[in-house]
Amino acid sequence: MDEEDPVKRQQIIDARARNISHNVRCTECGSQSIEDSQAGIAILLRKLIRDEIQSGKSDKEIFKKLEEDFGETVLYTPKFDMQTAALWLSPLIVAGVAVGAWAYKKHKQKTNVHIMALNLVRGVSLTPKEKERMLEILTPPPSERSSPSYWWNRLQRQ
């Protein structure tokens, strides 16, 4: 039993070290974890993590030390604060503003048509641009039968 305890303890240390190493970005490679990297700094960091575990530090304390020494970007899971919230939420904010602008434009366009119609009823003359817009809105789309291609295709079928 005495022989098994050191082996089991080493297995636990190895498992904790691998878990931490998978969540730490290699400062030299950038795209790999230090567990997957063979860069010199990655090897040193893996050793540092094992030493910290053997000295009795918790995973949280080790992550904090790495963050203090190398900056927040060394961790794959940065803490959630106002800066990271703005980063993650900015696409939603931009999309919301775009949809809002589109809806406002559509609403304003409809409102303008209603105002122009009321002005016509009241006898207020329209500007040339307003007249063009009203004709554009009120003119029905050309029917299929009035297009030359419709008649040409029909003659070809006979």
Side-chain angles (χ1 to χ4, degrees):
M1 183 97 169
D2 290 0
E3 290 177 24
E4 192 173 286
D5 285 342
V7 170
K8 196 168 227 164
R9 182 173 166 9
Q10 188 60 42
Q11 288 174 340
I12 291 170
I13 290 171
D14 289 344
R16 278 184 62 200
R18 277 193 303 279
N19 182 45
I20 294 170
S21 296
H22 277 294
N23 292 299
V24 176
R25 187 183 322 267
C26 177
T27 57
E28 194 172 311
C29 308
S31 63
Q32 287 184 308
S33 70
I34 61 171
E35 184 66 24
D36 300 328
S37 175
Q38 292 304 315
I41 187 73
I43 294 167
L44 291 172
L45 285 173
R46 287 196 301 260
K47 182 176 179 351
L48 171 86
I49 290 169
R50 288 182 192 286
D51 292 345
E52 294 288 321
I53 291 171
Q54 288 176 341
S55 71
K57 299 259 174 94
S58 70
D59 291 5
K60 192 173 184 177
E61 291 171 320
I62 296 169
F63 282 126
K64 187 174 180 179
K65 179 178 176 35
L66 289 168
E67 185 179 352
E68 287 171 359
D69 292 348
F70 297 98
E72 188 178 333
T73 58
V74 77
L75 302 179
Y76 276 118
T77 54
K79 61 186 174 207
F80 191 77
D81 58 8
M82 289 306 288
Q83 185 179 5
T84 54
L87 180 68
W88 284 98
L89 296 176
S90 61
L92 294 175
I93 293 168
V94 168
V97 167
V99 167
W102 176 81
Y104 176 74
K105 182 180 174 189
K106 284 291 187 186
H107 172 72
K108 187 176 176 187
Q109 192 176 44
K110 284 182 182 178
T111 305
N112 285 343
V113 169
H114 291 110
I115 291 170
M116 286 188 291
L118 284 172
N119 284 342
L120 276 175
V121 170
R122 291 181 187 144
V124 178
S125 62
L126 298 175
T127 65
K129 188 174 182 180
E130 288 174 331
K131 285 180 186 176
E132 185 181 321
R133 178 75 181 126
M134 283 296 273
L135 282 172
E136 180 184 309
I137 292 169
L138 296 174
T139 305
S143 70
E144 188 178 305
R145 289 184 176 214
S146 64
S147 71
S149 61
Y150 171 80
W151 293 106
W152 178 256
N153 289 337
R154 190 161 179 182
L155 286 171
Q156 294 296 322
R157 279 188 248 143
Q158 291 179 348

